[in-house]
Amino acid sequence: MAVQYQDYYEVLGVGRDAEAKDIKAAYRKLARKWHPDLHTGKKKKDEAEEKFKQINEAYEVLSNPENREKYDRLGKNWRNGDNFTPPPDWGEGVRYYSAGDGDMGGFSDFFETLFGTGGRRTAGPDMGGYNSRPMRGQDIESEIEVTLEEAYHGGTRSLSLTSSKACSACQGRGIVDRGFCSRCGGTGSIPERKNLEVKIPPGVSEGSIIRLKNQGGEGYAGGTRGDLHLKVRISPHPIFTVKGSDLESEVVVMPEQAVIGDKISAATIDGNVNVTIPPGSHSGRKMRLKGKGMPKKGGGRGDHYLVVKIDIPQDLTEEEKQLYASLKDLRRK
Ligand SMILES: [Zn+2]
């Protein structure tokens, strides 16, 4: 039984070493160009239908690793349209089916001889020949901005994400039997908006990753979804500066508090604490509140540093002015 050899690489205009993405790109471009609905006039339409059929057939073979490998084994010595007799060792691949229901559905005798009708992707993802092995979906990376308080205490955050999934109407090909897939508009994927409740574990730090299992890209042929990786960014805090696992904040005191010392209340990430300003504190003095910082990776907590800032009062009363004047006189004696 002699059939005509089809050079699928030539049909798609790609090299024999073309990568999957190049094959897909070439296919999409040609399928758009030769789509029968885009051509008018009997002769032109017939030509387009023939081309469109060839393009689809070539893509069926070259986009499927098993089919492509089998096809490549035929070697390069055949030319498009040559009479070709399948070698006797083709085993069960040599099955002859009459082509589809006529119309545009049929593939060439060559194709049917090589792969049987079961090799057709359009027969559904579970049919033999088509690569139907389950594949896990891709992991998706994104970011989540949290407040310092959320990073410390943990919390829950609603997150709205836009990703895309393979169009189920066309199995991600963008093309259905007779034209562009109307569901995805020929792009092969449809946007998917997801609302997620994200649990922020206590003690996350800048750059740490929150992993959400099975919230990533859609799996293929029954494969599990990938994971979603959220990289934590901590938004700037109005009071605290983050330095690794340590925190720092200013504590503003009056000159007399700095001179003779005082007890004050200072804010920390887990509430106010009473702090003693030692007598003779000058501007820039750092006071360490041990273990009042952020959680450390290996356990324990960093420290909180209070930095003294002396504020010079601008609104002195008459009495205060006199007291300062007295102080000045005393210092001169
Ligand atoms: Zn589609």
Side-chain angles (χ1 to χ4, degrees):
M1 162 190 48
V3 292
Q4 281 191 336
Y5 180 82
Q6 307 289 327
D7 189 335
Y8 293 135
Y9 291 101
E10 195 182 296
V11 169
L12 291 184
V14 295
R16 288 186 182 267
D17 54 354
E19 286 177 40
K21 64 172 170 42
D22 300 325
I23 289 169
K24 191 170 189 175
Y27 165 72
R28 290 217 166 139
K29 202 174 148 201
L30 287 167
R32 281 186 172 112
K33 182 179 173 192
W34 289 107
H35 193 273
D37 291 352
L38 302 176
H39 298 272
T40 51
K42 171 106 178 76
K43 203 172 161 229
K44 194 74 187 161
K45 211 173 174 71
D46 283 350
E47 188 197 350
E49 287 198 358
E50 186 52 37
K51 289 261 192 199
F52 192 68
K53 203 173 110 175
Q54 286 177 359
I55 293 157
N56 271 296
E57 180 172 319
Y59 187 65
E60 289 290 346
V61 176
L62 299 186
S63 65
N64 175 329
E66 282 171 35
N67 284 356
R68 184 179 178 183
E69 195 256 316
K70 185 173 179 182
Y71 175 72
D72 284 346
R73 263 187 280 139
L74 288 175
K76 303 166 190 167
N77 297 329
W78 295 93
R79 280 211 312 256
N80 203 14
D82 275 1
N83 275 340
F84 164 78
T85 308
D89 62 345
W90 270 19
E92 66 151 33
V94 190
R95 280 178 293 153
Y96 193 83
Y97 292 88
S98 60
D101 358 301
D103 203 20
M104 297 214 351
F107 281 172
S108 72
D109 294 345
F110 174 77
F111 178 93
E112 305 291 7
T113 304
L114 200 52
F115 303 110
T117 48
R120 292 188 52 188
R121 184 192 299 254
T122 40
D126 294 321
M127 297 296 280
Y130 182 43
N131 185 8
S132 59
R133 256 167 295 171
M135 266 164 49
R136 187 176 172 274
Q138 278 193 316
D139 292 340
I140 293 176
E141 319 279 328
S142 193
E143 282 190 350
I144 185 169
E145 186 161 334
V146 303
T147 64
L148 193 64
E149 281 82 2
E150 283 175 317
Y152 177 73
H153 295 285
T156 314
R157 175 67 77 81
S158 298
L159 197 70
S160 188
L161 278 181
T162 306
S163 62
S164 63
K165 64 174 185 179
C167 172
S168 59
C170 63
Q171 274 88 47
R173 297 174 69 210
I175 304 275
V176 288
D177 279 348
R178 295 211 54 157
F180 292 120
C181 172
S182 57
R183 181 137 184 246
C184 63
T187 59
S189 62
I190 49 174
E192 186 185 31
R193 191 132 188 100
K194 280 206 289 196
N195 292 308
L196 291 174
E197 288 280 296
V198 179
K199 263 201 156 60
I200 298 153
V204 292
S205 54
E206 177 81 22
S208 56
I209 304 284
I210 299 174
R211 212 168 253 106
L212 293 159
K213 228 174 143 51
N214 299 334
Q215 297 291 352
E218 198 187 35
Y220 177 74
T224 53
R225 289 191 86 104
D227 298 338
L228 174 64
H229 296 170
L230 293 172
K231 193 173 188 182
V232 172
R233 303 211 66 91
I234 295 175
S235 45
H237 193 275
I239 303 172
F240 307 132
T241 309
V242 183
K243 296 187 167 176
S245 58
D246 294 336
L247 295 173
E248 201 177 284
S249 63
E250 275 185 349
V251 52
V252 179
V253 297
M254 295 292 111
E256 59 279 9
Q257 290 176 294
V259 173
I260 56 174
D262 204 353
K263 282 189 193 314
I264 59 153
S265 173
T268 72
I269 190 71
D270 53 2
N272 284 8
V273 291
N274 292 323
V275 180
T276 302
I277 305 289
S281 293
H282 41 75
S283 227
R285 175 175 196 154
K286 279 191 182 185
M287 294 179 297
R288 184 167 75 138
L289 304 175
K290 201 169 181 306
K292 286 287 182 188
M294 298 296 281
K296 284 184 183 174
K297 276 205 176 76
R301 282 175 65 183
D303 303 325
H304 187 132
Y305 290 91
L306 292 173
V307 184
V308 172
K309 190 186 172 197
I310 298 171
D311 188 34
I312 306 299
Q314 306 294 321
D315 53 350
L316 295 181
T317 61
E318 217 30 60
E319 192 186 356
E320 285 171 326
K321 272 185 195 160
Q322 280 173 16
L323 286 169
Y324 271 108
S326 308
L327 273 175
K328 194 171 91 179
D329 292 342
L330 275 170
R331 293 297 290 174
R332 284 199 177 150
K333 278 176 186 166

